[in-house]
Amino acid sequence: TLFRSATDMGIMNALIAAFTLLVVCLPEIKTCCSSGRTFIFPKESSTNGVIMNPEIPLELDAFTLCMRLTSELPNDRDIILFSYFKDGDELNIWREVDGRFSLYFRSSDRDSAVMFKLPPITTFSNHLCVTWESSTGLTAFWVNGERSVRKRYNSGFKVQPGGVVILGQDQDSVENSFDITQSFVGEICDLNMWNYALSCEQIHNVYKGLEFPKGNIFDWNTLSYTVLGDRKST
C-alpha cells in the first residue's frame, strides 16, 4: 500500500509539473495595442477620418489587412472599416447593416460583394484580418486568430494604384462626400497591410503579438497619416 501510494504521488507530481509547464509555455495573447498610438473616433461624424499614406502603391493581386478595433455602435447600421477610393470604390471593407462583414472590389453594390458571418465587433479588443488572392479568388476573414470559411471572390482581379485610403469614413469621391450614418465610431490600432496573403501561422503571430513580417504597405510602427476633423490619436 505504501509503495502504491508513493507511486501515485509520483505520478500526480509529474502531472502537476507537466500541467504547470504547459501553462507557462502558452503564448501570451495580445489584447492591447502594440505601440502608444491609437486612432480614436469619438462620435458619429461626416468629417472625422484618417488619410493613410502607403509605403508602396496599392497595386494588388493579393493582400492581407489586419487591425485591432473596438466599437459600441449598434448592429442595425453600416460601419465602414476600410475605404480605398480611386475613380470609385476600389477596395472597401464593411460591417453590414445585417451584421455580416464584407469585401468589395470596384463596386458599392451589395450583390457584387463577398459576405461573411462573423462574431460582432464589441467594446473589447477585436483582432480582424482579411486575406485575398487573385490567382484563386480565395478570400477569408480572421477574428482573433480564427479563420472563417474561405470563399472564392473575383479571381483574376487586380486592385489598381493611385487612390486614397481613409479610415473612419466611406469615400464617395476622393477624400470627400462622407455619410455620417456610415462613419466608424470607436478605436483602431495595430493596422498592418501586406501585398500578399499571410500564412495561417503568420496571422496567428500577428494576433498574438509575436514575430511577423513587417507590413510593406502599412506598418503600424512607422505609419504615415493625416488627420481629418477632430479624430484623436493617443
Side-chain angles (χ1 to χ4, degrees):
T1 302
L2 289 175
F3 176 75
R4 187 178 299 114
S5 298
T7 301
D8 291 344
M9 287 298 295
I11 293 172
M12 183 177 295
N13 289 336
L15 288 172
I16 292 172
F19 179 74
T20 303
L21 179 62
L22 176 63
V23 172
V24 169
C25 292
L26 284 173
E28 179 182 358
I29 303 302
K30 188 75 175 177
T31 57
C32 298
C33 297
S34 61
S35 70
R37 182 190 304 115
T38 302
F39 293 148
I40 300 176
F41 302 85
K43 60 184 179 181
E44 292 183 321
S45 167
S46 60
T47 58
N48 296 345
V50 180
I51 300 175
M52 308 281 283
N53 303 316
E55 296 189 14
I56 60 174
L58 274 73
E59 186 172 5
L60 308 174
D61 54 17
F63 76 88
T64 303
L65 173 68
C66 294
M67 67 182 85
R68 296 186 193 278
L69 65 167
T70 64
S71 179
E72 294 184 342
L73 282 170
N75 292 327
D76 58 350
R77 168 193 191 284
D78 292 322
I79 305 174
I80 185 66
L81 302 178
F82 185 89
S83 170
Y84 176 51
F85 191 96
K86 189 175 183 281
D87 302 318
D89 292 318
E90 188 71 10
L91 191 170
N92 280 6
I93 297 171
W94 288 87
R95 203 293 307 275
E96 301 282 342
V97 66
D98 63 6
R100 291 181 296 172
F101 288 72
S102 57
L103 169 65
Y104 291 76
F105 286 143
R106 207 167 294 162
S107 176
S108 57
D109 184 353
R110 279 193 172 89
D111 291 337
S112 70
V114 59
M115 303 276 185
F116 292 81
K117 293 181 179 179
L118 305 175
I121 300 172
T122 70
T123 192
F124 302 106
S125 178
N126 309 265
H127 190 260
L128 182 72
C129 292
V130 186
T131 57
W132 170 79
E133 293 180 281
S134 177
S135 59
T136 60
L138 286 177
T139 308
F141 276 70
W142 304 69
V143 178
N144 296 334
E146 297 295 326
R147 179 177 62 76
S148 70
V149 63
R150 289 178 290 183
K151 300 183 180 182
R152 292 191 182 276
Y153 179 60
N154 275 23
S155 59
F157 181 79
K158 189 165 188 176
V159 177
Q160 296 301 308
V164 174
V165 173
I166 289 185
L167 299 181
Q169 299 288 348
D170 173 41
Q171 305 172 79
D172 289 329
S173 61
V174 175
E175 300 180 22
N176 212 330
S177 302
F178 304 146
D179 184 342
I180 189 172
T181 66
Q182 297 176 328
S183 62
F184 178 82
V185 180
E187 300 183 13
I188 295 176
C189 68
D190 285 355
L191 187 146
N192 294 279
M193 189 173 186
W194 299 259
N195 65 351
Y196 56 93
L198 266 60
S199 68
C200 176
E201 181 180 0
Q202 287 171 327
I203 289 179
H204 286 165
N205 286 349
V206 176
Y207 165 55
K208 294 171 184 175
L210 303 176
E211 184 175 351
F212 58 86
K214 177 183 183 296
N216 61 354
I217 299 176
F218 297 118
D219 174 65
W220 186 250
N221 293 320
T222 59
L223 193 65
S224 172
Y225 60 93
T226 302
V227 174
L228 301 174
D230 62 355
R231 196 277 323 147
K232 301 178 181 179
S233 176
T234 62

